Each structure stands twice: as structure tokens, then as C-alpha cells.
Amino acid sequence: MGGTAGCGVQAAMAIDIREDRVKMGIVSREGNVLFSRRYPWETSSVAGFLDALVLDIADFQRQAEGRWEYDRVGVSMGGWIDREAGMWLYTAKVHGFADPVPLRYLIERATGHPTFIDNDIHVSTLAENRFGIGQIYPNFTYYHIGRGIAVGVVSEGNLIRGAANYAGEYGGYLYDLGGQDGVCRLEEFASGRGMVRWARSLFEQYPHSVLRQADRVGALSPTKIFECAAENDSLATYIVHHVQRGIGLSVVNLLSFTNSEAIAFGGELAGLHGLLPVLTDFIEEHCAAPTRRSLNYIGSGRLDVHEEGMIGAAWLTWEGGGVPPCPGRTL
């Protein structure tokens, strides 16, 4: 989306780093993405990531210069974040990550603007809370299905963060696949990466599966797995059955704990063929009566999955993520 911010329009630069990409945008205080660009996420090393990020920021600012005005930066970052200190504490996605990274300081130096940073799923949940499902239901659960699996829980309008700002890392939910696979983490077979890895590990048991041919030409993906399941491919059907059941059980257990009024599914894989209708039926069948009667909405989040991270990151700069600016930093 292009154009020029008018006089008095408040906007922020947003940086959303998740999945396999970095998205940067200019977002208005009303939650509209005015301009955006996408860059690859360099994961070969921490130094390589930081060098690439600085170059990407410079490129983005050159393109936005003279077109959009902003005076703050919000960052949505995958991994464990100390939002008060602005530190990136851990991620498994960048090779060789060992020591905390002062990400807020580095981005402030690169952009020249005060910066706020938080975990990516927390940021998406905050976006839904401010501009999406939270405007209707003050008690809701955001369930993200992408390359990983995570959740955000909002109670009476407030995001539950946990003691170390690490609440919601739900990919560790345990599920019994049976047989040789046994008990494993939900993310290992039901996330985007997990589905593809699991399919490859089963090729010898399903030598005639269409998925095997798809992998040979670089076309194996979660979308392909669900499409082939709809066409009764035996391996794809087996995988999709466990994905649906594993996510379904995790949702039912989660809702039994949160007693949410709504559950909103987000992430780039939440719209996989037939997934939401199956999950809806599973929830309605297996939730206890009080939990089910409290639940008024089961469905997709209200925001564009490709923009929610940028929208939430921008909103951090006005809400501050609950963290006051450091001394000497003004907004």
C-alpha cells in the first residue's frame, strides 16, 4: 500500500522477524499497514543475521524516506525476549546462538529511533487484542500454527506473559503417536517444519506415496500434505489424522485451563485445507460443557496473517508493551 502520511498522522516503523523472513513496514496508529517490504532471514550465524538486518533496515529506510514519517520502531522477534532490557535471550533458529544479544540497542542505533521489542506470538496476540478479536471478547486465546506452534492467552484484556515473558511456547505439548514414534512434542509433527520432516522419515514405509514424488521435485509442503490427504494418499492421510488430533487435543486441554470466550487461529498454516472445520467439531465434541458454553467463537483471527506481526509490533511503540522507555529515551 502506498501514499504519503498526512500532517498529524502518527505512524511507526515495524519489524517482524519470524518463520523464514523479515518484514518491515510503516504502520499507522489505527493499525493500517501503509508500506511494507520483505527480506530473507539470515540464519547461518548471529553475526550474519545482525549484519543482514542492519543492511535491510538501511534499504527499507531509503525506500520510505520522504514518503512516510515515523518516530519510533517496534520489533516482533521469534524466540525468548527480555522486553524490559531489550535483550534477545535465545532462539533455536539461528545457528550458533549462545549469548544474549542487545537487539533493542542495535536497532535503535541502526534506525535512530526509540525501539520496543517483544516475542513474536505475544506481539500477534496484542495485535488481535487491540484491533481484532479482542475488541469483541476480552478473554480469548490466540493459537498460532506455522513453522512452529505457540499460543497467546488474554484474560480480561491483559496478555498473560509468565514469569520470564515466555508463556505460550505450546509446541512442547506432548502427544503419543504410538508405535515407534511414541510420545513426542506437538511441534515435531504438527508444525510446518514438523510435518515435512515426519513425512520424509516415513517414506520407506510408504514407498508409493505421492508425497515422495513431490519431495523429489522440491514440492513437499504442509499444503501439499493436506491436499494429498484429501485425495486419499495413505501417508498424507496418516499424517493429517495425527496433526488434526494432536492440535485438537492440545486446544481442548488449553481451553479447559483458560476458559476463554473465543479461540482465534492464526499463522500461515491455520488455513490448511479442512483443518478449522475438523478442529471446530473436535472442540465441540470434547470440551466439557461449562467450557463449551463459555466459548462463543471458534475460527480464524480477524487480522491478515501476513500483517498481524507488523501491526502488533507498531502497537508496542504506543503501548510500550507495558515497559517505560529507558532514561534519556523519549517518544
Side-chain angles (χ1 to χ4, degrees):
M1 187 180 298
T4 303
C7 181
V9 172
Q10 292 182 299
M13 177 178 172
I15 304 175
D16 181 32
I17 307 170
R18 69 176 75 197
E19 306 290 354
D20 60 351
R21 83 309 185 263
V22 177
K23 292 196 77 172
M24 299 186 190
I26 305 299
V27 183
S28 73
R29 187 160 187 164
E30 294 73 34
N32 298 313
V33 178
L34 307 173
F35 171 73
S36 67
R37 288 292 182 267
R38 177 175 176 143
Y39 302 91
W41 184 355
E42 171 58 55
T43 60
S44 61
S45 68
V46 175
F49 162 76
L50 294 174
D51 289 344
L53 182 62
V54 169
L55 291 174
D56 294 342
I57 288 172
D59 177 73
F60 179 83
Q61 289 188 309
R62 279 194 298 270
Q63 295 188 57
E65 186 176 4
R67 301 173 63 190
W68 308 104
E69 294 183 2
Y70 55 92
D71 60 357
R72 60 197 71 204
V73 179
V75 181
S76 166
M77 181 75 231
W80 183 17
I81 302 296
D82 181 338
R83 64 196 182 100
E84 287 88 354
M87 300 292 289
W88 188 23
L89 300 178
Y90 176 73
T91 182
K93 297 177 183 178
V94 177
H95 296 291
F97 193 104
D99 300 315
V101 175
L103 194 60
R104 182 174 67 198
Y105 166 76
L106 295 173
I107 292 177
E108 285 185 338
R109 190 172 66 176
T111 63
H113 295 295
T115 297
F116 293 87
I117 178 173
D118 205 347
N119 167 269
D120 56 349
I121 303 305
H122 289 176
V123 165
S124 290
T125 307
L126 290 171
E128 278 290 344
N129 192 36
R130 179 63 182 85
F131 298 106
I133 203 72
Q135 294 299 290
I136 306 170
Y137 303 108
N139 299 283
F140 74 91
T141 295
Y142 171 82
Y143 196 111
H144 176 92
I145 309 171
R147 289 173 66 86
I149 291 175
V151 302
V153 177
V154 172
S155 178
E156 295 301 321
N158 298 307
L159 174 67
I160 296 175
R161 294 181 173 278
N165 198 40
Y166 202 61
E169 296 299 322
Y170 208 45
Y173 177 89
L174 297 179
Y175 176 82
D176 190 354
L177 289 168
Q180 294 181 341
D181 294 303
V183 176
C184 66
R185 299 169 67 247
L186 182 65
E187 205 167 66
E188 292 175 4
F189 70 92
S191 67
R193 287 175 297 183
M195 282 184 242
V196 170
R197 283 198 298 258
W198 193 30
R200 287 173 176 152
S201 74
L202 295 172
F203 281 164
E204 289 188 7
Q205 298 177 44
Y206 295 85
H208 303 297
S209 171
V210 175
L211 299 182
R212 191 165 191 166
Q213 283 74 46
D215 192 40
R216 287 172 181 158
V217 297
L220 182 61
S221 68
T223 299
K224 184 67 174 178
I225 292 170
F226 269 71
E227 288 175 351
C228 290
E231 297 172 359
N232 298 315
D233 179 87
S234 56
L235 173 56
T237 300
Y238 177 71
I239 292 172
V240 168
H241 165 75
H242 281 291
V243 169
Q244 292 171 336
R245 182 170 176 79
I247 293 177
L249 285 170
S250 75
V251 170
V252 168
N253 282 293
L254 181 63
L255 291 174
S256 297
F257 176 74
T258 63
N259 192 206
S260 296
E261 299 170 276
I263 180 161
F265 291 92
E268 297 185 358
L269 299 183
L272 284 171
H273 179 78
L275 179 59
L276 283 185
V278 169
L279 292 178
T280 299
D281 291 343
F282 195 94
I283 292 167
E284 291 178 344
E285 179 180 355
H286 294 285
C287 274
T291 302
R292 182 64 193 92
R293 281 198 291 268
S294 301
L295 192 61
N296 296 310
Y297 177 82
I298 305 169
S300 300
R302 298 298 176 90
L303 303 181
D304 186 327
V305 297
H306 302 291
E307 294 186 347
E308 64 184 13
M310 289 187 291
I311 294 170
W315 186 245
L316 284 178
T317 71
W318 288 293
E319 288 295 273
V323 181
C326 292
R329 295 168 64 218
T330 59
L331 292 181

